[in-house]
Amino acid sequence: MRIFDFSAAYARKFLNATVVSMLLLTACFQYSLGQSPEYFKTGGRKVNIHAFNAEVNRMMEEVGIPGISLAVIENNKVAFYHTYGYKQSGQPEAVNDETLFEACSLSKNFMLFMVYQLVDQHKLDLDKPMYQYLEYDRLKHDPRYRLITPRMILGHCSGIENWKSDFNPDTLDIVSNPGEKFVYSGEGFHYLARVIETILKEPYQDIEKRMVLSRLGLERTFTSFKDTVPGNYSNGHDVLERKIPKWKNKSVFPAGGVNTTALDYAHLLIGMFNGKYLSRDRINDILHKTTSLDDYFPPNHYFGGGYEVIYTPKDTIIAHGGSNPGYKCQLFYSVVHKRGIIFMTNSDRGKLISQRLVDMSVRLDIKSEFAKQYYEQYPSNAITLLKKYKQAGGDAMIADAGRLKSEQKLGVNTLNELGHIFIGIDTAVARKLLTENTILYPDASRAFYLLGTLDMKQKDFNAAYQDFIKAKALHSEEFTLDFNLRKCEKELQKQAVYSGSSSGAASND
């Protein structure tokens, strides 16, 4: 039985040319677990729904998130499901319990559920080279592809680049030896999808519908916009709350093309770990320390068989994020306590409230998740400064940043975060912010790396090269640093050759 409780309206401001006040309608859908509709229970605590919703709405207004779909799991049951905000910023249509959000990279977990069923059925071997199931023309140019196994794909250590367009757009590259280190790869999941089709001799979309959607009763999950045109979907938004055209994939895109709700995804996650659908051996495969993440997180973070796994002294937590243009998703789930949270947003800023949402609800120990990230979690000065930009423009934001500097309240990544954002919005503002940060924190590498990225965007490859060299000297851990250095070197060589040939032509005249 569902208990519906429509909470009071909350004010929400949408910033366009002027500030327009609109009512923020929220609708609470709480599953009956012997709980009062005034609160939900998690970790032995009662969480007041009214106060929880009020805080979520306040964060949405501060950060600039138009809509959210959120579910809390307790003892492998949905304890709380709630939707917030609007499908599109500045428009009156509210998000409700059936509104779809892009699952982004959480789409991969639907395949995961299929894969482990096939392993339990002895139809797929996680350690058998995938070419023995299906030769893959896109990777045949590199003999190392014959070493790649399904386990490597699930643990993101196959070496296959994330997308073909990342480095050399003409070739799908293997950028590290298979099994050697973490390289996140959407392309790897698409290869594995082709293997699954080959094993079962039917289209991937039909397999997913039969083995996942129908089996778990996921009625608001769609794999494409080809045969069925799902209605009631949210629109994505950039960092300034500007609408991004909706991606309506006409074919199945296993690594990131699912549209769903937090409620449906919660049921997928429960099905993954409740022991009804997958054997204990498969759950152990998920938790297996397949790939070290020491370059990205503090110790005890690994990528297991489909999820990031965080090992703490008292818990084992799985995590996964998702990022599509205009959408951000995040989940955290305690395997020990059978407790977790999933939320989906229609904003490029959606992940910034992750820590606060966890603290307000399931209280899992996830602080190490954000230790090396340069986007600061809510609340932060970067969030406040960006809000000032949306309200009053770049000069007002710069002025406030100057005040914070004088008060010694600018953290090492505050201006980095803003600089990274403004590389795609206003390059003059981005350069001012990042240059200031190199002065404030001359021994930190990230501002130099981001300046190099900005210089590359403006095709000043000499300046970019110098910035990247400085970042490397300061022990930058940016994954694309060496690639960017090589690209700058090639571009500078081209310019030298062109300059030399032009000089020769001039002298011959």
Side-chain angles (χ1 to χ4, degrees), residues 306-321:
Y307 293 96
E308 178 193 343
V309 187
I310 307 168
Y311 288 95
T312 73
K314 296 182 179 180
D315 208 350
T316 299
I317 300 167
I318 65 161
H320 208 302

Side-chain angles (χ1 to χ4, degrees), residues 41 207 297 466:
K41 285 184 178 180
I207 300 168
F297 300 100
Q466 299 303 320

Side-chain angles (χ1 to χ4, degrees), residues 72-83:
V72 173
I73 295 171
E74 181 67 27
N75 196 27
N76 276 344
K77 296 179 181 179
V78 177
F80 179 69
Y81 175 50
H82 202 110
T83 59

Side-chain angles (χ1 to χ4, degrees), residues 385 388 393-406 432:
L385 289 169
K388 173 63 75 171
D395 290 343
M397 180 185 71
I398 296 292
D400 277 10
R403 175 181 55 78
L404 290 170
K405 175 186 174 182
S406 67
K432 187 178 293 187

Side-chain angles (χ1 to χ4, degrees), residues 253-481:
F253 197 83
V258 171
N259 283 260
T260 188
T261 66
L263 178 62
D264 267 16
Y265 187 87
H267 286 303
L268 171 68
L269 190 60
I270 291 167
M272 200 85 71
F273 288 97
N274 65 6
K276 294 181 180 179
Y277 304 97
L278 303 179
S279 68
R280 184 67 228 181
D281 286 343
R282 302 294 74 79
I283 294 174
N284 289 338
D285 284 330
I286 293 173
L287 303 179
H288 183 262
K289 297 179 181 179
T290 304
T291 313
S292 171
L293 297 176
D294 287 351
D295 290 342
Y296 306 91
F297 300 100
N300 298 320
H301 285 246
Y302 298 86
F303 217 95
Y307 293 96
E308 178 193 343
V309 187
I310 307 168
Y311 288 95
T312 73
K314 296 182 179 180
D315 208 350
T316 299
I317 300 167
I318 65 161
H320 208 302
S323 300
N324 281 1
Y327 295 87
K328 294 291 180 285
C329 308
Q330 189 69 58
L331 77 89
F332 297 99
Y333 172 83
S334 165
V335 180
V336 175
H337 301 292
K338 304 176 184 177
R339 177 188 312 135
I341 185 170
I342 305 99
F343 66 95
M344 300 177 171
T345 77
N346 58 346
S347 168
D348 276 337
R349 303 282 282 170
K351 289 186 182 180
L352 298 184
I353 60 174
S354 299
Q355 181 70 66
R356 181 70 179 132
L357 286 175
V358 169
D359 290 345
M360 289 163 55
S361 57
V362 292
R363 293 189 176 178
L364 302 181
D365 183 4
I366 62 162
K367 286 184 173 58
S368 59
E369 180 76 7
F370 309 107
K372 291 189 178 183
Q373 294 186 12
Y374 61 90
Y375 272 49
E376 299 170 338
Q377 286 287 298
Y378 174 91
S380 75
N381 285 326
I383 290 171
T384 303
L385 289 169
L386 185 62
K387 184 178 180 182
K388 173 63 75 171
Y389 175 88
K390 291 189 287 186
Q391 291 174 329
D395 290 343
M397 180 185 71
I398 296 292
D400 277 10
R403 175 181 55 78
L404 290 170
K405 175 186 174 182
S406 67
E407 297 171 356
Q408 297 185 330
K409 292 181 179 179
L410 286 178
V412 65
N413 281 320
T414 302
L415 298 185
N416 285 340
E417 177 178 338
L418 293 169
H420 183 249
I421 289 170
F422 280 95
I423 286 175
I425 297 173
D426 187 325
T427 55
V429 170
R431 187 172 298 280
K432 187 178 293 187
L433 293 166
L434 294 170
T435 301
E436 180 64 30
N437 215 39
T438 64
I439 297 169
L440 281 173
Y441 296 98
D443 296 327
S445 66
R446 189 158 276 144
F448 291 101
Y449 172 82
L450 291 171
L451 277 171
T453 303
L454 174 57
D455 289 329
M456 280 183 65
K457 178 182 174 70
Q458 298 181 322
K459 300 190 182 304
D460 186 345
F461 293 102
N462 184 56
Y465 182 80
Q466 299 303 320
D467 288 327
F468 289 139
I469 286 292
K470 181 66 174 177
K472 192 174 183 71
L474 293 170
H475 310 291
S476 171
E477 296 179 344
E478 301 290 344
F479 175 69
T480 57
L481 176 60

Side-chain angles (χ1 to χ4, degrees), residues 85-119:
Y86 291 87
K87 297 179 185 180
Q88 182 178 330
S89 182
Q91 298 298 316
E93 195 170 1
V95 173
N96 61 37
D97 68 324
E98 294 192 342
T99 301
L100 302 175
F101 288 74
E102 290 185 17
C104 312
S105 285
L106 299 191
S107 302
K108 297 177 178 70
N109 303 152
F110 292 84
M111 179 194 286
L112 194 66
F113 191 65
M114 298 160 53
V115 164
Y116 286 125
Q117 289 180 74
L118 293 176
V119 175

